[in-house]
Amino acid sequence: MNLIFAPLQLKDAAAILSWQYSPPYDCCNFDGCNREQTLNDFTHPDNIFFAIFGSHKELEGFCSFGPDGQVPGGDYSQPALDIGMGLRPDLTGKGLGQQYAESVIEFGVGRFGASQLRVTIAAFNQCAQTVWQRLRFSSVDRFTKTSSREDYVLMTRIQRW
């Protein structure tokens, strides 16, 4: 897959905020969010967000590296590069997740040189868990998000050089 990664720009962040996922993935919609604050978070240099463009230079997804990929309530005491990722809704459910995740891993490891990688996934999202398991991630913890009843799974992978 020939993907292009670029620092997330305001216009791309605004497009991401408009994406609408169908249930049960509608929990990823940005409805009701503080739009200005979310745009600021997406594009602030301390938050490491990248736009993912396809071969036709269309925005196809985004990824993040670092604390943005963490969910309150999880145990993040072990050092690892946290990865967050989202695909445009029309690209989901087509068996493309593994290819995007592989590219995000390759980009992240190349850029940050991490020896351990970590993802946090909503427990109900079996499809995403399967994608990351196929990429040699193992489940290491399950927890409930602070101040909600949502369950999450922590998965890690030791990077082999």
Side-chain angles (χ1 to χ4, degrees):
M1 193 165 239
N2 196 12
L3 299 175
I4 301 163
F5 292 82
L8 192 66
Q9 300 298 312
L10 187 60
K11 68 178 178 61
D12 301 318
I16 291 165
L17 290 182
S18 73
W19 292 352
Q20 294 295 301
Y21 297 91
S22 300
Y25 305 105
D26 56 341
C27 61
C28 298
N29 293 341
F30 289 97
D31 296 339
C33 72
N34 180 333
R35 183 176 172 81
E36 292 305 313
Q37 182 61 50
T38 304
L39 286 172
N40 185 48
D41 291 344
F42 268 153
T43 57
H44 194 281
D46 290 344
N47 296 328
I48 309 169
F49 277 92
F50 291 88
I52 303 173
F53 297 96
S55 57
H56 299 345
K57 297 191 169 110
E58 290 183 15
L59 180 65
E60 295 184 359
F62 67 94
C63 60
S64 67
F65 301 96
D68 178 73
Q70 299 177 357
V71 173
D75 178 4
Y76 297 97
S77 60
Q78 296 299 311
L81 178 63
D82 287 289
I83 300 172
M85 186 180 91
L87 295 181
R88 201 174 62 215
D90 64 307
L91 297 173
T92 62
K94 298 182 184 213
L96 300 171
Q98 184 171 336
Q99 294 171 6
Y100 281 94
E102 283 176 320
S103 293
V104 168
I105 290 167
E106 184 179 320
F107 176 77
V109 168
R111 181 149 183 134
F112 301 102
S115 60
Q116 183 152 320
L117 309 173
R118 180 171 49 218
V119 293
T120 305
I121 301 171
F124 77 85
N125 195 342
Q126 292 297 312
C127 291
Q129 290 176 52
T130 298
V131 163
W132 293 93
Q133 286 169 346
R134 288 180 181 154
L135 297 172
R136 300 188 329 266
F137 280 73
S138 301
S139 179
V140 295
D141 193 18
R142 184 181 178 108
F143 66 94
T144 301
K145 180 179 178 181
T146 304
S147 75
S148 80
R149 296 182 151 208
E150 300 164 316
D151 289 333
Y152 286 83
V153 175
L154 277 175
M155 302 177 80
T156 61
R157 167 178 140 175
I158 303 223
Q159 186 60 30
R160 292 179 174 78
W161 303 103

